[in-house]
Amino acid sequence: MNKKLTIIVIGHNSWHFLQKNFSSLDFLKEEQDVEVLYVDNASTDETRVAVSYSYPNIKMICYPINRGVAAARNIGMVNAASEYIMFLDSDTEMNKEAYYEMMKFMDENPDVGVCGCKLYGQDGVAQNSCKKYPTRKSFFKGLLRSLGKQVGLDIYPNAYTESNYNMDQSQPFEVDYVIGACQLIRRKAQTKVGFLDEKIFYGPEDADFCMRIKQAGYRVMYLPMVSISHAYIRPSSTKFFSKLTWKRICGLFYFFNKVDRCKKQ
């Protein structure tokens, strides 16, 4: 391995976020064993030119078509030669405390394959960055709850807490998965389980990956004592019946069926 860490950031028409993201990583400029790799998912705006001009030291790989989150992160991993890999969404901002604490934790706990930290939104509220595996039951409960809210009904009021963990803890704890917005991955674990499942365009690719990491004998840990910011502008949130929302639903049911097949083996 040539580097200690490769930070992989992907984006699509995301320059307005990438400026803050890359600036937040300035403290790593003197770290010779850390590299930042940006994978552009078929941007059609000024993103590629802006990244090349403003951050010439960041390696950039340009995809001619948008093949989704998993495919973009996979090409990043293929081009990474490092002991650790960190996934960061374009709308995140890293800081020294979170970075060094996460790296220290992984160095001191070789049985951990993936870890993540607390994420705070622009509203200052902690996000659900560690979750339990999605299930058909949790999906339909969440769907009915969302539809109920639109007509003023409180359906399945506990659906939210059933799918998530109590994050009001001070010490690291094991979880089913940490979301892909910020994941620090041990390369040995990734090599053992392979790459992200590219059949999932957008959605539970992070849950699927962490599940395979755990099946390989590693732990997935959440570190609540450190945090980064995450704007969390979810692409599918603007239109309930958008094309991307449909792709996310397809990804979820692909994941459900994949889990069912594994249980039968």
Side-chain angles (χ1 to χ4, degrees):
M1 296 292 180
N2 299 324
K3 300 285 185 180
K4 178 77 171 181
L5 171 71
T6 299
I7 298 174
I8 298 174
V9 182
I10 67 172
H12 170 75
N13 295 339
S14 305
W15 174 238
H16 52 300
F17 287 126
L18 290 169
Q19 295 178 75
K20 294 181 179 180
N21 180 297
F22 293 152
S23 293
S24 74
L25 299 172
D26 281 346
F27 68 92
L28 293 171
K29 283 183 176 179
E30 304 305 318
E31 299 279 356
Q32 297 299 315
D33 58 350
V34 178
E35 64 177 353
V36 181
L37 197 160
Y38 170 63
V39 181
D40 186 88
N41 240 346
S43 289
T44 56
D45 62 0
E46 77 281 8
T47 296
R48 295 181 179 182
V49 173
V51 171
S52 296
Y53 178 78
S54 301
Y55 297 94
N57 294 327
I58 290 179
K59 293 170 60 177
M60 180 166 60
I61 299 172
C62 297
Y63 255 152
I65 57 174
N66 188 344
R67 294 181 53 208
V69 172
R73 285 180 171 153
N74 282 346
I75 196 65
M77 287 193 284
V78 168
N79 285 271
S82 51
E83 182 182 354
Y84 295 109
I85 294 166
M86 178 179 283
F87 292 154
L88 285 178
D89 273 2
S90 60
D91 56 356
T92 59
E93 294 177 53
M94 182 53 68
N95 59 74
K96 285 185 179 181
E97 181 184 14
Y99 170 80
Y100 287 112
E101 188 62 38
M102 291 172 72
M103 292 295 292
K104 178 183 176 184
F105 183 83
M106 293 295 279
D107 281 340
E108 294 178 349
N109 296 273
D111 63 328
V112 175
V114 178
C115 79
C117 68
K118 187 170 287 188
L119 305 180
Y120 280 101
Q122 293 173 316
D123 55 3
V125 176
Q127 300 169 350
N128 293 300
S129 48
C130 61
K131 299 185 178 184
K132 299 175 184 177
Y133 298 130
T135 64
R136 290 182 179 86
K137 183 178 180 181
S138 66
F139 169 76
F140 283 113
K141 278 189 174 183
L143 178 62
L144 289 173
R145 179 163 172 74
S146 297
L147 293 174
K149 281 185 175 181
Q150 296 183 21
V151 294
L153 297 176
D154 191 11
I155 303 173
Y156 292 123
N158 297 321
Y160 180 78
T161 54
E162 288 175 1
S163 300
N164 298 289
Y165 291 91
N166 175 15
M167 296 186 297
D168 294 330
Q169 303 182 49
S170 59
Q171 298 300 316
F173 59 93
E174 189 168 357
V175 297
D176 281 353
Y177 75 102
V178 290
I179 66 171
C182 178
Q183 289 182 339
L184 180 57
I185 303 162
R186 189 178 305 279
R187 190 58 186 258
K188 286 183 179 179
Q190 181 275 314
T191 301
K192 192 171 182 179
V193 304
F195 295 96
L196 298 174
D197 191 333
E198 295 185 13
K199 291 182 180 178
I200 303 173
F201 182 90
Y202 165 72
E205 75 286 334
D206 45 12
D208 175 79
F209 183 69
C210 287
M211 178 176 284
R212 287 187 281 132
I213 290 287
K214 291 171 76 74
Q215 290 171 343
Y218 290 92
R219 291 190 296 159
V220 175
M221 301 293 292
Y222 177 71
L223 280 58
M225 63 281 195
V226 288
S227 64
I228 67 171
S229 63
H230 181 212
Y232 192 55
I233 308 300
R234 193 164 78 181
S236 62
S237 62
T238 54
K239 296 181 180 179
F240 188 78
F241 295 107
S242 69
K243 182 178 180 181
L244 196 55
T245 298
W246 175 246
K247 286 186 175 182
R248 180 174 181 272
I249 293 173
C250 289
L252 279 167
F253 278 87
Y254 168 81
F255 173 76
F256 299 152
N257 292 332
K258 187 176 181 179
V259 171
D260 289 342
R261 291 194 300 270
C262 288
K263 289 179 178 178
K264 293 177 181 179
Q265 293 177 355

